[in-house]
């Protein structure tokens, strides 16, 4: 079987979240107590752009820290992975980090970038296909929090999953364990996962990262309401909401909320939602892990920790996990 990409296949990603599913998720969240909206809704085209800007902020140490670890360790990762592996990335985003792996791995056979942002995914897949002509690039536009059908991969290739950025932090601990279990089944026995995880640290550093003085994180948070207005015909007045981010020490997570500045009624596809002054819509959790919590969650998912690396500031972890 040829492992090179079939050039006659278009690099089109499969269509993203349907608007019916979007509507039921939004209505479920807005009618619960407390009100919630799922963090994955941040990443429409504008949200994906805003997130890229966040990643360049001095205050947002996560991306830089993770990249410094990956740069230092990518050779070791390549040795552990061995030749001709099939790479699967959960949340490929701007497609920057994967280039480090694609450059270092020994003749990787295939790369499946999975992302919810359709345009960004297609652009990234096309660029990678031209820069890495010997790798089969098979983009999948999907919400990976739901069950997935992966494209066919070379049957005997070792599978190497990549879940960077501390996106694992968006899951509550039980969900994180369930999601990692799905990855473990996907990679199969002996398969690997390279996982990026943000470390628990002082509150001031966390606050600066999630409430930056340039207002980019606030714009990112508020953009979710604009998106819902546009895609579901809702009438959120974004001027009546404020960005709120804080570290919930008890729960070990940064929380982002949108705080209503007055009593108001919002309409979402014919449903009226009452929101009181000071009430919040909880849009994101970013759990921060200490070493023991990390060992527990990956262990509960059937992975063993093969390597655990940090950066010079002890801000972030990159771990190589092996499916047992
Ligand atoms: C992409 C989910 C890892 O939680 O730090 C950035 C998203 N939220 N600023 C994170 C985010 C606010 C980010 N993740």
């Amino acid at each position: 079987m040829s492992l090179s990409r079939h050039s006659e296949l278009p690099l089109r990603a499969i269509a993203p979240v349907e608007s019916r599913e979007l509507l039921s998720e939004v209505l479920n969240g807005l009618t619960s107590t407390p009100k919630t909206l799922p963090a994955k809704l941040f990443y429409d085209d504008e949200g994906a752009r805003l997130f890229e800007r966040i990643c360049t902020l001095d205050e947002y140490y996560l991306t830089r820290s993770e990249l410094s670890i990956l740069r230092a360790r990518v050779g070791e990762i390549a040795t552990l992975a061995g030749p001709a592996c099939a790479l699967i990335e959960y949340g490929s985003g701007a497609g920057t980090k994967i280039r480090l792996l694609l450059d270092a791995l020994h003749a990787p056979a295939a790369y499946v970038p999975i992302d919810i942002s359709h345009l960004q995914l297609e652009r990234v897949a096309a660029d990678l296909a031209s820069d890495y002509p010997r790798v089969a690039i098979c983009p999948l536009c999907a919400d990976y929090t739901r069950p997935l059908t992966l494209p066919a991969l070379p049957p005997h290739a070792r599978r190497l999953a990549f879940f960077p950025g501390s996106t694992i932090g968006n899951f509550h601990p039980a969900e994180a364990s369930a999601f990692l279990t799905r990855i473990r089944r996907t990679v199969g026995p002996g398969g690997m996962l390279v996982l990026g995880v943000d470390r628990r640290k002082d509150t001031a550093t966390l606050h600066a990262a999630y409430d930056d003085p340039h207002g980019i994180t606030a714009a990112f948070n508020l953009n979710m309401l604009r998106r819902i207005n546009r895609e579901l015909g809702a009438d959120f007045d974004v001027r009546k909401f404020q960005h709120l981010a804080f570290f919930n020490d008890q729960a070990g997570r940064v929380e982002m909320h949108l705080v209503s500045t007055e009593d108001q009624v919002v309409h979402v596809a014919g449903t009226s939602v009452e929101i009181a002054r000071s009430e919040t819509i909880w849009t994101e959790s970013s759990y921060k892990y200490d070493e023991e919590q990390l060992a527990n969650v990956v262990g509960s998912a059937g992975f063993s920790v093969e390597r655990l690396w940090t950066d010079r500031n002890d801000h972030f972890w990159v771990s190589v996990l092996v499916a047992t």
Side-chain angles (χ1 to χ4, degrees):
M1 191 187 127
S2 162
L3 296 181
S4 67
R5 193 173 76 81
H6 298 278
S7 52
E8 69 276 14
L9 291 179
L11 278 166
R12 282 299 277 346
I14 295 154
V17 201
E18 275 188 47
S19 70
R20 240 179 331 106
E21 294 173 20
L22 179 69
L23 178 60
S24 67
E25 284 193 290
V26 165
L27 285 178
N28 275 338
L30 293 179
T31 53
S32 338
T33 312
K35 290 182 170 59
T36 59
L37 285 170
K40 65 191 172 196
L41 298 189
F42 284 134
Y43 303 96
D44 65 350
D45 298 329
E46 176 63 9
R49 264 194 297 274
L50 286 165
F51 181 64
E52 287 318 304
R53 287 184 65 189
I54 289 173
C55 291
T56 67
L57 297 173
D58 284 346
E59 293 80 9
Y60 195 75
Y61 59 85
L62 288 83
T63 312
R64 256 176 295 114
S65 308
E66 183 175 53
L67 281 170
S68 77
I69 303 168
L70 286 173
R71 279 196 200 96
R73 303 296 184 170
V74 80
E76 282 175 74
I77 295 173
T79 302
L80 289 166
C85 69
L87 263 169
I88 305 160
E89 183 173 13
Y90 296 86
S92 48
T96 310
K97 295 166 190 169
I98 201 64
R99 287 175 181 265
L100 292 173
L101 287 180
L102 289 171
D103 289 340
L105 289 169
H106 308 303
Y111 170 51
V112 181
I114 308 170
D115 206 278
I116 202 163
S117 296
H118 199 243
L119 289 178
Q120 189 184 45
L121 178 62
E122 286 194 351
R123 195 171 358 92
V124 165
D127 289 349
L128 290 172
S130 78
D131 293 348
Y132 298 90
R134 302 162 76 96
V135 182
I137 309 285
C138 316
L140 178 60
C141 186
D143 169 5
Y144 54 71
T145 66
R146 294 166 180 266
L148 290 176
T149 307
L150 289 184
L153 292 171
H156 302 295
R158 166 180 246 171
R159 295 182 178 194
L160 173 58
F162 186 39
F163 191 29
S166 199
T167 306
I168 188 73
N170 279 176
F171 294 95
H172 297 298
E175 298 169 350
S177 170
F179 184 66
L180 293 175
T181 301
R182 278 178 48 209
I183 296 182
R184 199 248 306 149
R185 295 204 176 105
T186 299
V187 298
M192 294 176 27
L193 168 62
V194 175
L195 180 67
V197 184
D198 198 16
R199 296 182 67 167
R200 202 175 168 127
K201 59 182 61 64
D202 66 284
T203 309
T205 302
L206 292 169
H207 279 181
Y210 288 86
D211 193 6
D212 68 89
H214 321 279
I216 313 294
T217 309
F220 174 71
N221 198 1
L222 287 160
N223 177 63
M224 193 190 290
L225 300 182
R226 291 201 187 87
R227 180 210 186 145
I228 292 168
N229 285 347
R230 188 166 15 84
E231 293 186 26
L232 297 177
D235 61 359
F236 281 100
D237 183 346
V238 295
R239 293 166 302 183
K240 296 180 183 167
F241 290 88
Q242 277 173 354
H243 170 66
L244 171 69
F246 60 89
F247 185 60
N248 178 335
D249 193 82
Q250 182 77 32
R253 65 188 178 220
V254 172
E255 296 183 13
M256 293 211 311
H257 296 254
L258 291 163
V259 189
S260 175
T261 57
E262 54 186 77
D263 289 340
Q264 52 180 316
V265 180
V266 174
H267 304 92
V268 183
T271 301
S272 301
V273 179
E274 288 182 30
I275 310 176
R277 183 194 147 103
S278 306
E279 189 179 353
T280 79
I281 303 171
W282 182 7
T283 49
E284 185 175 59
S285 297
S286 289
Y287 282 85
K288 307 304 170 188
Y289 283 83
D290 65 26
E291 187 168 350
E292 191 188 338
Q293 288 166 328
L294 180 61
N296 285 340
V297 74
V298 303
S300 74
F303 278 111
S304 68
V305 179
E306 193 69 30
R307 295 284 188 283
L308 181 63
W309 298 304
T310 193
D311 55 289
R312 55 187 301 197
N313 300 313
D314 293 338
H315 277 163
F316 203 87
W317 266 314
V318 173
S319 186
V320 178
L321 307 171
V322 175
T324 52

